[in-house]
Amino acid sequence: MKVLREIFGPIPGIGDASLYTITNSNGITLKVSDYGCTIQSLLVPDKNGKPGDVVLGFDKLEGYLQDHPYIGTIVGRYANRISNARFMLDGTEYRLVQNHGKNHLHGGAVGFDKVLWQASEFADKKGAGVSLEYVSHDMEEGYPGFLRVSVTYTLDDENQVCIDYQATTDKPTHLNLTNHSYFNLNEAAEEVYDHELMIASSRYVVTGRDLIPTGEIRSVEGSPLDFRIPKPIGKDIHEVEGGFDLCYVLEGDGKTTVLAARVVDPESGRCMETLTTEPGIQFYSSNFLAGITGKGGIPYRKHLALCLEAQHFPDTPNQPDFPSTLLHPGETYNQRTIYKFSNTQDSP
Ligand code: GLA
């Protein structure tokens, strides 16, 4: 396996962004850009062996330079919401950029999705990929600490796209990273209503106004949010206002990856499993997606894709009972999330 690099396009005032292409021996091709640490494209064979793109994105860099809802990017420093864009840490109040009403969403006005990362490619026996690094300065978007972040995308011959995250800080800070890919296993031919989804979770983080957690964790039992037994996403979506946008509680130990979700598209036969070390997974059915044109001229619209964002719970800095997102000097933040592909023709 090897990695090819090409110029993706110029970022005004900054320099060129690159696009890295990694192909495995089973016909999967992953493209990653250093702008926003973004998965730009992911070709996966269908049940007849025909490769097709399973993620939303843009053909050209310009698409990523416009305002867009984090399509394929890394989100940070804090994926999801922080209420009132503030938190207390060691007796000091930190005020973050308010970029979602009075709240803070996905790292602020210029989050990790809108910066150029330093990339280096690698290939070894286990797979090939790109490691990307970004240094976030003290008080960037309001967060304390000089933070060094690295994200490594690896594609292997087990058909896994593995995302490894690491970070260190020189001051206590909060950190919650994720990848915000929008998946449609049928090449965005139609809304994801027929995709069959299983989420290995019996509880979710209850939210109130503006999707801010109330602090309650509730059972999915008997509600349209219950995906423990696989069901088409469209089955109950209209019973949930706007569609699905919630964080499910996972039961891993934080060190080893556990199966969080499985999606099957019966038409193409493509299947994807999400495994993670994180305590939560946000299932978002692209409820707010609208008004942008994506790859191949496809109009991106509501419910065209699903995001399965492995992460800690929203608003943890203001919720003392949620698993902590604090990172201290001397510690290393670690996360591994895997998207693993197969198809209905594969033997189990
Ligand atoms: C996340 C959130 C959604 C929305 C999208 C971006 O998945 O949970 O509410 O903010 O990102 O549009």
Side-chain angles (χ1 to χ4, degrees), residues 111-123:
F112 293 176
D113 57 302
K114 294 183 189 67
V115 295
L116 185 64
W117 294 57
Q118 284 291 330
S120 52
E121 61 255 55
F122 64 88

Side-chain angles (χ1 to χ4, degrees), residues 18 32 41 47 57-58 65 76 89-90 93 99 140 187 208 219 230 234 259 265 300 306 308 312 318-319 325 342 348:
S18 299
V32 168
S41 137
K47 61 186 173 195
F58 302 101
L65 298 175
L89 183 51
D90 298 334
E93 177 180 80
N99 65 326
E140 193 167 304
E187 302 168 59
S219 167
L259 180 69
D265 169 45
Y300 284 169
L306 78 156
L308 290 165
H312 275 58
N318 297 306
Q319 290 286 352
T325 50
S342 58

Side-chain angles (χ1 to χ4, degrees), residues 140-296:
E140 193 167 304
E141 301 294 305
Y143 293 93
F146 176 88
L147 188 81
R148 284 179 183 281
V149 189
S150 98
V151 173
T152 302
Y153 291 105
T154 310
L155 173 66
D156 65 19
D157 281 333
E158 308 282 292
N159 302 335
Q160 305 186 109
V161 175
C162 182
I163 315 177
D164 283 297
Y165 303 73
Q166 293 197 318
T168 55
T169 180
D170 69 347
K171 284 186 194 152
T173 194
H174 284 285
L175 187 66
N176 184 30
L177 300 172
T178 197
N179 175 278
H180 206 301
S181 284
Y182 288 69
F183 295 98
N184 182 314
L185 301 185
N186 198 19
E187 302 168 59
E190 56 198 12
E191 282 75 359
V192 286
Y193 301 136
D194 292 341
H195 282 47
E196 287 162 10
L197 175 65
M198 186 284 295
I199 301 178
S201 166
S202 55
R203 296 179 301 147
Y204 70 101
V205 177
V206 178
T207 57
R209 203 166 157 230
D210 298 331
L211 295 179
I212 299 294
T214 61
E216 187 194 346
I217 305 288
R218 195 183 287 167
S219 167
V220 295
E221 183 84 46
S223 83
L225 309 175
D226 190 348
F227 280 91
R228 289 173 296 179
I229 295 170
K231 63 175 177 181
I233 292 173
K235 181 166 180 281
D236 297 327
I237 197 168
H238 299 295
E239 288 180 41
V240 184
E241 204 191 324
F244 300 100
D245 194 357
L246 71 153
C247 186
Y248 286 85
V249 177
L250 302 174
E251 308 292 349
D253 64 4
K255 293 191 174 70
T256 41
T257 52
V258 292
L259 180 69
R262 182 182 294 117
V263 205
V264 178
D265 169 45
E267 195 174 319
S268 65
R270 294 189 184 94
C271 313
M272 181 181 84
E273 290 185 341
T274 307
L275 300 99
T276 187
T277 54
E278 288 297 281
I281 189 157
Q282 183 86 9
F283 165 38
Y284 172 56
S285 51
S286 40
N287 312 335
F288 308 122
L289 191 62
I292 37 174
T293 302
K295 282 183 277 195

